[in-house]
Amino acid sequence: MYFSLFLLFFSITSLNALPFNIIKKETDILNTPTLLVIGGIHGNEPGSYFAAALLSRYYHIKQGNLWIVPDLNRPSIQQDNRGINGDMNRKFSDIDPQDADVETVQEIQKIITEKQVALILNLHDGHGFYRKKHLNTIFNPNAWGQTCVIDQGTLDTEHPYGNLNEIASKVSGELNNDLIEGHHFFDVRNTNTRFDDEAMKHSLTYFAVTHNKPAFAIETSKNLPSLHHKVFYHLHAIECYMKLMGIKYERTFDLNMDAIEQLLKNHDYLTINNNIYFDLQNLKNSLSFIPLQSERNEFKFAHPLGSVQKNKTQYDLFIGNQKISTLIPSYHPKELCSIPITILADGKTQKLSFATDFFVTADFKIINNDLNTRVNVIGFTKKGVKDEANILVGLSDLDSKYSIDTAHKSYRVEFYQKNRFCGMVLVHFK
Ligand SMILES: [Zn+2]
């Protein structure tokens, strides 16, 4: 599929990992500017982090450089909470070393102040629709929705993108040429942070501005009718900034509601310990007897907002703020076994490795003559048969209770040696 060209892996347990993902798309770091886009500082603003996720998955940079942090406040995103440890966007002027967010804040501060970063966008979904005059509780001067937010008109010292007001005005003007509905129009909101806004002095953008980095918040409205509306405006705004900076890109879709809605449904896949594979589309709410290790499981999501949270003895899987399933493990020690996997899918021979999948229309058979290896097709039972290799299996032979998906089309095929789990592949019936 075309999308796989830009596929990246997002590993949760790598050593010395940052508490968030960073995706770098670079062409020439010496001669072209780098835009840093940050999503998810507030965990209950999904437009912000899903926009950053689509940016990292479906945009290809042809000139200039783009860095994306899609999930700055990952633990709060999982819980769809503004900030489980308080408002992270109020911790940038000083932070208590005991604060649970200290590592995240310090790491993103290092990234913001890196020399090559020329402009920073912090993405939010804000309340209501900003209007200079008070109309009602949704449309008023205190609303944040549909604004390009700046802390001051210009940076204190010379910078190619130092005219914040001019840039924000240009971007909001361009956004207003392409609105889904007229009342979604954008405006510049200058918080005059230094003089007028005590709270904003602790924000990420003001930290950047005081380090002579041009920074803007993009606020779509929480009151827009759907997630894809919010993502549409975020992506459109980001594209305006890229254009302004001379960053050239290609995206693999048309920027419209339908296309975005479809892309948001694509949760892609997950591998665990390089021997387990799950397609994450239409996954059942809970999956049992998943052969995990008792510790140090390595979860790799294809989706940048994929994450896992251990909840007592279970593992909750998330894409952004959406809990997509819970894995109930059966623990197995880490095994290093290499078993050549040969299958007959609709009569055709295929070779596979662990943590992959294959498709069949009618039936499949796992070919295996190694007496030390036992094959277990989860959901298949035949009296007196322990090793399910060399048996033809069709969809009607499988108990739908054991499918991993709600459509009852995908099943696990597991390989064991001396009753120890080696790995699995996934079979999909078309
Ligand atoms: Zn926010």
Side-chain angles (χ1 to χ4, degrees):
M1 184 154 104
Y2 188 35
F3 294 157
S4 64
L5 274 176
F6 307 126
L7 211 61
L8 295 151
F9 289 97
F10 301 93
S11 170
I12 302 301
T13 56
S14 15
L15 288 174
N16 303 320
L18 291 168
F20 46 79
N21 282 308
I22 180 160
I23 297 107
K24 296 184 177 182
K25 295 167 183 268
E26 301 184 318
T27 63
D28 178 1
I29 60 171
L30 291 178
N31 302 306
T32 59
T34 298
L35 169 65
L36 169 62
V37 175
I38 299 168
I41 193 169
H42 290 141
N44 60 347
E45 298 176 7
S48 127
Y49 42 88
F50 278 100
L54 296 201
L55 186 67
S56 67
R57 301 182 77 198
Y58 303 119
Y59 282 69
H60 180 58
I61 299 301
K62 313 269 285 176
Q63 185 181 309
N65 313 294
L66 175 64
W67 290 2
I68 306 151
V69 172
D71 57 345
L72 186 66
N73 195 347
R74 187 187 294 152
S76 300
I77 291 172
Q78 285 177 338
Q79 296 194 30
D80 200 11
N81 184 311
R82 181 173 176 85
I84 57 168
N85 308 306
D87 188 341
M88 188 183 281
N89 206 25
R90 297 290 178 269
K91 299 182 181 181
F92 280 76
S93 60
D94 54 77
I95 183 164
D96 185 332
Q98 303 301 316
D99 193 300
D101 289 333
V102 72
E103 192 198 350
T104 301
V105 169
Q106 287 177 350
E107 292 295 341
I108 196 71
Q109 284 177 330
K110 276 186 226 162
I111 293 167
I112 288 167
T113 49
E114 276 197 41
K115 195 164 170 258
Q116 83 173 82
V117 172
L119 195 148
I120 297 125
L121 296 177
N122 194 18
L123 312 184
H124 294 264
D125 306 340
H127 170 73
F129 295 85
Y130 176 69
R131 293 290 185 273
K132 290 199 168 69
K133 282 194 182 135
H134 184 95
L135 295 175
N136 54 42
T137 55
I138 305 289
F139 298 87
N140 63 65
N142 293 319
W144 288 100
Q146 307 299 91
T147 57
C148 298
V149 187
I150 53 176
D151 291 282
Q152 55 197 54
T154 54
L155 280 191
D156 297 335
T157 45
E158 197 66 25
H159 191 289
Y161 308 114
N163 198 334
L164 306 180
N165 186 52
E166 191 185 299
I167 290 172
S169 305
K170 220 181 209 174
V171 169
S172 70
E174 213 170 308
L175 288 169
N176 290 340
N177 288 332
D178 195 11
L179 300 172
I180 301 161
E181 289 192 61
H183 71 275
H184 298 166
F185 73 79
F186 274 75
D187 208 339
V188 178
R189 187 169 169 183
N190 183 343
T191 53
N192 275 313
T193 302
R194 185 170 296 148
F195 306 106
D196 291 349
D197 201 324
E198 209 40 55
M200 287 297 282
K201 279 187 186 159
H202 309 286
S203 70
L204 180 149
T205 53
Y206 193 63
F207 169 85
V209 163
T210 51
H211 287 77
N212 207 40
K213 296 280 191 183
F216 304 80
I218 300 171
E219 297 264 5
T220 66
S221 175
K222 282 188 164 117
N223 299 71
L224 288 168
S226 73
L227 177 59
H228 48 273
H229 279 76
K230 297 170 199 169
V231 170
F232 169 82
Y233 285 120
H234 275 300
L235 290 176
H236 195 185
I238 294 162
E239 290 189 3
C240 291
Y241 282 97
M242 289 202 281
K243 227 194 283 172
L244 213 129
M245 297 173 72
I247 297 174
K248 294 197 175 135
Y249 58 86
E250 266 174 12
R251 56 174 140 68
T252 57
F253 63 99
D254 289 328
L255 193 63
N256 62 48
M257 292 289 101
D258 288 348
I260 293 171
E261 190 178 9
Q262 287 310 310
L263 292 181
L264 288 171
K265 286 183 191 155
N266 183 6
H267 294 161
D268 233 313
Y269 65 90
L270 160 69
T271 65
I272 309 171
N273 303 329
N274 296 318
N275 60 13
I276 295 173
Y277 179 95
F278 286 116
D279 190 323
L280 301 183
Q281 313 308 317
N282 310 316
L283 211 53
K284 282 182 178 168
N285 289 337
S286 137
L287 300 172
S288 301
F289 299 108
I290 305 303
L292 300 181
Q293 295 159 197
S294 56
E295 51 186 13
R296 290 170 181 261
N297 290 291
E298 193 180 2
F299 292 82
K300 283 186 193 166
F301 290 86
H303 194 295
L305 297 177
S307 68
V308 62
Q309 191 182 46
K310 196 169 177 197
N311 182 359
K312 290 180 189 144
T313 56
Q314 307 177 351
Y315 296 79
D316 292 334
L317 306 182
F318 292 86
I319 298 292
N321 57 348
Q322 303 163 11
K323 185 163 124 185
I324 54 166
S325 190
T326 296
L327 305 184
I328 301 159
S330 67
Y331 287 123
H332 288 260
K334 192 177 174 70
E335 284 295 318
L336 287 172
C337 26
S338 75
I339 298 171
I341 305 168
T342 306
I343 59 159
L344 215 57
D346 295 324
K348 282 191 192 119
T349 306
Q350 276 185 43
K351 301 234 182 251
L352 295 175
S353 47
F354 287 141
T356 58
D357 59 349
F358 65 97
F359 292 81
V360 292
T361 304
D363 50 41
F364 71 94
K365 187 194 277 189
I366 306 296
I367 310 292
N368 183 53
N369 298 311
D370 173 9
L371 294 176
N372 286 320
T373 304
R374 182 170 63 83
V375 174
N376 189 2
V377 180
I378 309 294
F380 179 84
T381 38
K382 196 170 179 187
K383 244 193 170 158
V385 174
K386 273 195 167 170
D387 178 6
E388 291 157 358
N390 308 316
I391 298 174
L392 206 58
V393 180
L395 186 57
S396 59
D397 301 318
L398 293 161
D399 183 340
S400 62
K401 214 164 62 202
Y402 295 93
S403 71
I404 70 156
D405 63 324
T406 51
H408 311 304
K409 295 274 178 88
S410 300
Y411 292 83
R412 293 147 54 190
V413 179
E414 299 183 349
F415 294 75
Y416 290 81
Q417 276 183 348
K418 296 175 190 144
N419 277 331
R420 296 184 152 197
F421 175 71
C422 288
M424 66 159 263
V425 294
L426 203 59
V427 56
H428 306 283
F429 284 87
K430 286 188 229 171

